[in-house]
Amino acid sequence: MTDRRGTTSPGRRPLGGARAARQPLERPAPLRQAVYDALAEMIINRELQPGEHLVENELAAHLGVSRQPVREALQRLHNEGWVDLRPALGAFVHVPTEEEADQLLATRTLLETESARLAAKNATPEQIERLRELQRAGEEALSEDSQVALVEANAALHAHLVEMSGNKVLAQLIGMVDRRVRWYYSPIARSRGREAWDEHAALIDVIAEGNTRRAGELMRKHTERTRESYHQRRKEADEQEALS
């Protein structure tokens, strides 16, 4: 992206041409909520990269709205930790620290381990069948090598497991971290690939058997492997950056 002097501004890239065109947002829903949701999804899917400079007028043009709801959405995203507002510099996508990622993924392990245990205890045949459908959708996304589809399929399967637990408080707590987990999972969705979906398949089998202990154990190992993969990818990226 060039400024008025014709130089390239650091941390920015033009919206035009760099991303697929979007349809203007639907207006019936509150516009500020629609803009917030759209920007949050663009951050989660890495369409907007960590550290990227967010320019109000460019985002407004990209979404087909005025600058005001974009400004409001950026403020809300800042309050929730998705965006950093820097005096005199503007808004930037937050760059997660190692500590932030580790704390969130560790919390996810605790919550989802209990979720899997309860799912095995309470599962109905219909819920098991739905799990298998979601597993097939994930394997299809894997065969298509689609990062976005893999992240969505993974989130859908885990969300159904939470629903199967029957614990509304647990579901609420997991819901609070779901979007950020998807953000961290996005860069490793491909590298986890077949291994992650094989782990899902094994987990579904023990849940179908009603084996609560084993279900919790497999979910703990599954989420810990995701945590380890995230840190490994981060380490490799840092090493590559140091060499460049």
Coordinates of all heavy atoms in Angstrom, one line a residue, residues 101-119 158 162 165 167 169-171 173-174 177 181 212 215-227:
A101 N -1.3 -17.6 23.9 CA -1.7 -18.9 23.2 C -1.7 -20.1 24.1 O -2.6 -20.9 24.2 CB -0.8 -19.1 22.0
D102 N -0.6 -20.2 24.9 CA -0.5 -21.3 25.8 C -1.6 -21.4 26.9 O -2.2 -22.4 27.1 CB 0.9 -21.3 26.5 CG 1.2 -22.7 27.1 OD1 1.4 -23.6 26.4 OD2 1.3 -22.7 28.3
Q103 N -1.9 -20.2 27.4 CA -2.9 -20.2 28.5 C -4.3 -20.6 27.9 O -5.1 -21.3 28.5 CB -3.0 -18.8 29.1 CG -1.8 -18.5 30.0 CD -1.9 -17.1 30.6 OE1 -2.8 -16.3 30.3 NE2 -0.9 -16.8 31.4
L104 N -4.6 -20.0 26.7 CA -5.9 -20.3 26.1 C -6.0 -21.8 25.7 O -7.0 -22.5 26.0 CB -6.2 -19.5 24.9 CG -7.6 -19.7 24.3 CD1 -8.6 -18.7 24.9 CD2 -7.6 -19.5 22.8
L105 N -5.0 -22.3 25.1 CA -5.1 -23.7 24.6 C -5.0 -24.7 25.8 O -5.6 -25.8 25.8 CB -3.9 -24.0 23.7 CG -4.0 -23.2 22.3 CD1 -2.7 -23.5 21.5 CD2 -5.2 -23.6 21.5
A106 N -4.4 -24.3 26.9 CA -4.4 -25.1 28.1 C -5.8 -25.2 28.7 O -6.3 -26.2 29.2 CB -3.4 -24.6 29.1
T107 N -6.4 -24.0 28.7 CA -7.8 -23.9 29.3 C -8.8 -24.7 28.4 O -9.6 -25.4 28.9 CB -8.3 -22.4 29.3 OG1 -7.4 -21.7 30.2 CG2 -9.7 -22.3 29.8
R108 N -8.5 -24.7 27.1 CA -9.4 -25.4 26.2 C -9.3 -26.9 26.5 O -10.3 -27.6 26.5 CB -8.9 -25.1 24.7 CG -9.7 -25.9 23.7 CD -8.9 -26.3 22.5 NE -9.7 -26.9 21.5 CZ -9.2 -27.6 20.5 NH1 -7.9 -27.7 20.3 NH2 -10.0 -28.2 19.6
T109 N -8.0 -27.4 26.8 CA -7.8 -28.8 27.1 C -8.7 -29.2 28.3 O -9.4 -30.3 28.3 CB -6.4 -29.1 27.3 OG1 -5.6 -28.9 26.1 CG2 -6.2 -30.5 27.9
L110 N -8.7 -28.4 29.3 CA -9.4 -28.7 30.5 C -10.9 -28.8 30.2 O -11.6 -29.8 30.7 CB -9.1 -27.7 31.6 CG -7.7 -27.6 32.2 CD1 -7.6 -26.4 33.1 CD2 -7.4 -28.9 32.9
L111 N -11.4 -27.8 29.5 CA -12.9 -27.7 29.3 C -13.3 -28.9 28.3 O -14.4 -29.5 28.6 CB -13.2 -26.4 28.7 CG -13.0 -25.2 29.6 CD1 -13.2 -23.9 28.8 CD2 -13.9 -25.2 30.8
E112 N -12.6 -29.1 27.3 CA -13.0 -30.1 26.3 C -12.8 -31.5 26.8 O -13.5 -32.4 26.3 CB -12.3 -29.8 24.9 CG -12.7 -28.4 24.4 CD -13.0 -28.5 22.9 OE1 -13.3 -29.6 22.4 OE2 -12.9 -27.4 22.2
T113 N -11.9 -31.7 27.6 CA -11.7 -33.1 28.2 C -13.0 -33.4 29.0 O -13.5 -34.6 28.8 CB -10.5 -33.1 29.1 OG1 -9.3 -32.9 28.4 CG2 -10.4 -34.5 29.8
E114 N -13.5 -32.5 29.8 CA -14.7 -32.8 30.5 C -15.9 -32.9 29.6 O -16.8 -33.7 29.8 CB -15.0 -31.7 31.6 CG -16.2 -31.8 32.4 CD -16.3 -33.0 33.3 OE1 -15.3 -33.7 33.4 OE2 -17.3 -33.3 33.9
S115 N -15.9 -32.1 28.5 CA -17.0 -32.1 27.5 C -17.1 -33.5 26.9 O -18.2 -34.1 26.7 CB -16.7 -31.1 26.5 OG -17.7 -31.1 25.4
A116 N -15.9 -34.1 26.5 CA -15.9 -35.4 25.9 C -16.4 -36.5 26.8 O -17.1 -37.4 26.5 CB -14.5 -35.7 25.4
R117 N -16.0 -36.4 28.1 CA -16.4 -37.3 29.1 C -17.9 -37.3 29.3 O -18.5 -38.4 29.3 CB -15.7 -37.0 30.4 CG -15.8 -38.1 31.5 CD -15.3 -37.7 32.8 NE -16.1 -36.6 33.4 CZ -17.3 -36.9 34.1 NH1 -17.7 -38.1 34.2 NH2 -18.0 -35.9 34.6
L118 N -18.5 -36.2 29.3 CA -19.9 -36.1 29.5 C -20.7 -36.5 28.2 O -21.8 -37.0 28.3 CB -20.3 -34.6 29.9 CG -19.9 -34.2 31.3 CD1 -20.2 -32.7 31.5 CD2 -20.6 -35.0 32.3
A119 N -20.1 -36.2 27.1 CA -20.7 -36.6 25.8 C -20.8 -38.1 25.8 O -21.8 -38.7 25.3 CB -19.9 -36.1 24.6
H158 N -16.3 -30.1 17.3 CA -16.1 -29.8 18.7 C -17.3 -29.2 19.3 O -17.7 -29.5 20.5 CB -14.9 -29.0 18.9 CG -13.6 -29.7 18.8 ND1 -12.9 -30.2 19.9 CD2 -12.8 -30.1 17.7 CE1 -11.9 -30.9 19.5 NE2 -11.8 -30.8 18.2
V162 N -19.7 -30.5 22.5 CA -20.0 -29.7 23.7 C -21.5 -29.7 23.9 O -22.0 -29.9 25.1 CB -19.6 -28.2 23.5 CG1 -20.1 -27.3 24.6 CG2 -18.1 -28.1 23.4
S165 N -22.6 -32.8 25.7 CA -22.3 -32.9 27.1 C -23.5 -32.7 28.0 O -23.6 -33.2 29.1 CB -21.2 -32.0 27.4 OG -21.6 -30.6 27.5
N167 N -24.1 -30.0 29.5 CA -23.8 -29.1 30.5 C -23.7 -27.6 30.0 O -22.8 -27.3 29.2 CB -22.4 -29.4 31.1 CG -22.0 -28.6 32.3 OD1 -22.2 -27.4 32.4 ND2 -21.5 -29.2 33.3
V169 N -23.4 -24.7 31.4 CA -22.3 -23.8 31.9 C -21.0 -24.1 31.2 O -20.3 -23.2 30.8 CB -22.1 -24.0 33.4 CG1 -20.9 -23.2 33.9 CG2 -23.4 -23.6 34.2
L170 N -20.7 -25.4 31.0 CA -19.5 -25.8 30.3 C -19.6 -25.3 28.8 O -18.6 -24.8 28.3 CB -19.4 -27.3 30.3 CG -18.2 -27.9 29.6 CD1 -16.9 -27.5 30.3 CD2 -18.3 -29.4 29.6
A171 N -20.8 -25.4 28.2 CA -20.9 -24.9 26.8 C -20.7 -23.4 26.8 O -20.1 -22.9 25.8 CB -22.3 -25.3 26.3
L173 N -18.8 -21.6 28.8 CA -17.4 -21.3 29.0 C -16.6 -21.6 27.7 O -15.7 -20.9 27.3 CB -16.8 -22.1 30.1 CG -17.3 -21.7 31.5 CD1 -16.9 -22.8 32.6 CD2 -16.8 -20.3 31.9
I174 N -16.9 -22.7 27.1 CA -16.2 -23.1 25.8 C -16.5 -22.1 24.7 O -15.6 -21.7 23.9 CB -16.5 -24.5 25.4 CG1 -15.9 -25.5 26.4 CG2 -16.0 -24.8 24.0 CD1 -16.3 -27.0 26.1
V177 N -14.2 -19.1 24.5 CA -12.9 -19.2 23.9 C -12.9 -19.7 22.5 O -11.9 -19.8 21.9 CB -12.0 -20.1 24.8 CG1 -11.9 -19.5 26.2 CG2 -12.5 -21.5 24.8
V181 N -9.8 -19.9 19.8 CA -9.2 -21.2 19.5 C -9.1 -21.4 18.0 O -8.1 -21.8 17.4 CB -10.0 -22.3 20.1 CG1 -9.6 -23.7 19.6 CG2 -9.8 -22.3 21.6
T212 N -16.5 -43.3 29.2 CA -16.3 -41.9 29.6 C -14.8 -41.6 29.9 O -14.3 -40.6 29.6 CB -17.1 -41.6 30.9 OG1 -16.8 -42.5 31.9 CG2 -18.6 -41.7 30.6
A215 N -12.8 -41.5 26.7 CA -13.2 -40.3 25.9 C -12.5 -39.1 26.4 O -11.9 -38.3 25.7 CB -14.7 -40.1 25.9
G216 N -12.4 -38.9 27.7 CA -11.7 -37.8 28.3 C -10.3 -37.9 28.0 O -9.6 -36.9 27.7
E217 N -9.7 -39.1 28.1 CA -8.3 -39.3 27.9 C -7.9 -38.9 26.4 O -6.9 -38.2 26.2 CB -7.9 -40.7 28.2 CG -6.4 -41.0 28.1 CD -6.2 -42.5 28.4 OE1 -6.0 -42.8 29.6 OE2 -6.2 -43.3 27.5
L218 N -8.7 -39.4 25.5 CA -8.4 -39.1 24.1 C -8.5 -37.7 23.7 O -7.7 -37.1 23.0 CB -9.3 -40.0 23.2 CG -9.0 -41.5 23.1 CD1 -10.0 -42.1 22.1 CD2 -7.6 -41.7 22.7
M219 N -9.6 -37.0 24.3 CA -9.7 -35.6 24.1 C -8.6 -34.8 24.6 O -8.1 -33.8 24.0 CB -11.0 -35.1 24.6 CG -11.3 -33.6 24.4 SD -11.3 -33.1 22.7 CE -13.1 -33.3 22.4
R220 N -8.1 -35.2 25.8 CA -7.0 -34.5 26.4 C -5.7 -34.6 25.5 O -5.1 -33.6 25.3 CB -6.7 -35.0 27.8 CG -5.5 -34.3 28.5 CD -5.2 -35.0 29.8 NE -4.8 -36.4 29.7 CZ -3.7 -36.9 29.3 NH1 -2.7 -36.0 28.9 NH2 -3.4 -38.1 29.1
K221 N -5.5 -35.8 25.0 CA -4.3 -36.0 24.2 C -4.5 -35.2 22.9 O -3.5 -34.6 22.3 CB -4.1 -37.5 23.9 CG -3.6 -38.3 25.1 CD -3.5 -39.7 24.8 CE -3.0 -40.5 26.0 NZ -2.8 -42.0 25.7
H222 N -5.7 -35.2 22.3 CA -6.0 -34.6 21.1 C -5.7 -33.1 21.2 O -5.0 -32.5 20.3 CB -7.5 -34.8 20.7 CG -7.9 -34.0 19.5 ND1 -7.5 -34.2 18.2 CD2 -8.9 -33.0 19.4 CE1 -8.1 -33.4 17.4 NE2 -9.0 -32.7 18.1
T223 N -6.3 -32.4 22.2 CA -6.1 -31.0 22.4 C -4.7 -30.6 22.7 O -4.2 -29.5 22.3 CB -7.1 -30.4 23.4 OG1 -7.0 -31.2 24.6 CG2 -8.5 -30.5 22.9
E224 N -4.0 -31.5 23.5 CA -2.6 -31.2 23.8 C -1.7 -31.3 22.5 O -0.8 -30.5 22.4 CB -2.1 -32.2 24.8 CG -2.5 -31.8 26.3 CD -1.9 -30.5 26.7 OE1 -0.7 -30.3 26.7 OE2 -2.7 -29.6 27.1
R225 N -2.0 -32.2 21.6 CA -1.3 -32.3 20.4 C -1.5 -31.0 19.5 O -0.5 -30.5 18.9 CB -1.7 -33.5 19.6 CG -1.1 -34.8 20.2 CD -1.5 -36.0 19.4 NE -1.0 -37.2 20.0 CZ -1.8 -38.3 20.2 NH1 -3.0 -38.3 19.8 NH2 -1.3 -39.4 20.7
T226 N -2.7 -30.5 19.6 CA -2.9 -29.2 18.9 C -2.1 -28.1 19.5 O -1.5 -27.3 18.8 CB -4.4 -28.9 18.9 OG1 -5.2 -29.9 18.2 CG2 -4.7 -27.5 18.3
R227 N -2.1 -28.1 20.8 CA -1.3 -27.1 21.5 C 0.2 -27.2 21.2 O 0.9 -26.2 20.9 CB -1.5 -27.3 23.0 CG -0.8 -26.3 24.0 CD -1.1 -26.7 25.4 NE -0.5 -25.9 26.4 CZ -0.4 -26.2 27.7 NH1 -1.0 -27.3 28.1 NH2 0.2 -25.5 28.5

